[in-house]
């Protein structure tokens, strides 16, 4: 094991002699090269939609989930995710109310919120954006456009 660490250390540090490479330094170097994935909070009460979202995003991001608005708001406060995917028709507290609470909270107001909704009637998008959501994705979800939009918001 120590020999392997020394070999890896010499490759990482570009030195023939990496005897000062400790396991802790190796692990910390690996973490700095591969930062942990961004955290996305998914607030979705429909199991089929949740399964679809998770299938598209798995292995790309750290996913946490809530099945209702109250739990989602609590999880946002506890975890401060990098992005929130918010179903607008949630039990206990609907998406419009959730986004208002998020944007009114000093600790959470910076987090981008993308609405997920089947509401696609004229004026719905504007209403959702006016309520405080940063963007809007209509259901059913197009996997390619979905990933592109999430990537775009996480870069900014």
């Amino acid at each position: 094991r120590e020999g392997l660490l020394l070999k890896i250390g010499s490759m990482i540090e570009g030195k023939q002699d990496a005897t000062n490479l400790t396991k802790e330094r190796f692990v910390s170097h690996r973490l700095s090269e591969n930062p942990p994935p961004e955290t996305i909070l998914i607030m979705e009460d429909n199991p089929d939609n949740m399964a679809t979202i998770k299938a598209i995003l798995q292995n790309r991001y750290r996913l946490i989930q809530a099945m209702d608005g109250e739990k989602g708001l609590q999880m946002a406060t506890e975890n401060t995710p990098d992005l929130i995917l918010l179903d607008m028709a949630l039990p206990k507290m609907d998406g419009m109310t959730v986004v208002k609470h998020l944007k009114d909270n000093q600790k959470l107001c910076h987090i981008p919120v993308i609405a997920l909704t089947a509401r696609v009637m004229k004026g719905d998008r504007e209403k959702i954006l006016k309520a405080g959501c940063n963007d809007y994705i209509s259901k059913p979800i197009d996997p390619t456009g979905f990933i592109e939009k999430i990537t775009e918001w996480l870069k900014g």
Side-chain angles (χ1 to χ4, degrees):
R1 180 186 274 188
E2 295 303 317
L4 179 60
L5 281 173
L6 290 174
K7 290 282 187 194
I8 293 170
S10 67
M11 291 187 301
I12 291 172
E13 296 188 1
K15 300 176 184 174
Q16 292 301 325
D17 178 29
T19 54
N20 64 348
L21 180 68
T22 64
K23 183 178 181 183
E24 291 77 22
R25 282 188 58 222
F26 172 72
V27 169
S28 116
H29 184 84
R30 293 281 300 138
L31 289 175
S32 68
E33 281 184 357
N34 299 317
E38 292 97 341
T39 299
I40 297 177
L41 170 57
I42 307 164
M43 294 188 211
E44 172 63 66
D45 65 320
N46 181 298
D48 293 335
N49 291 338
M50 182 66 82
T52 300
I53 294 166
K54 288 169 74 174
I56 295 169
L57 299 179
Q58 72 179 2
N59 304 326
R60 295 175 191 256
Y61 305 102
R62 180 177 162 254
L63 305 177
I64 52 178
Q65 64 189 58
M67 299 291 281
D68 65 64
E70 287 179 3
K71 182 69 174 171
L73 201 51
Q74 175 189 344
M75 291 183 79
T77 303
E78 292 170 0
N79 294 281
T80 317
D82 299 295
L83 179 76
I84 297 173
L85 298 174
L86 176 62
D87 178 20
M88 298 311 287
L90 289 170
K92 295 190 180 178
M93 184 185 298
D94 73 357
M96 297 288 207
T97 306
V98 170
V99 74
K100 180 180 179 350
H101 284 291
L102 290 168
K103 297 303 179 177
D104 287 346
N105 183 320
Q106 193 70 29
K107 181 183 170 196
L108 305 174
C109 63
H110 70 283
I111 301 170
V113 177
I114 300 177
L116 301 175
T117 185
R119 295 181 185 174
V120 291
M121 300 300 286
K122 184 175 178 157
D124 285 340
R125 178 184 174 89
E126 291 74 21
K127 206 180 302 181
I128 288 169
L129 295 176
K130 189 175 180 180
C133 290
N134 299 87
D135 212 333
Y136 172 101
I137 296 174
S138 61
K139 296 177 186 177
I141 294 169
D142 163 49
T144 305
F146 185 62
I147 290 171
E148 287 172 2
K149 195 162 284 216
I150 288 172
T151 302
E152 174 187 320
W153 277 103
L154 287 173
K155 281 182 185 174

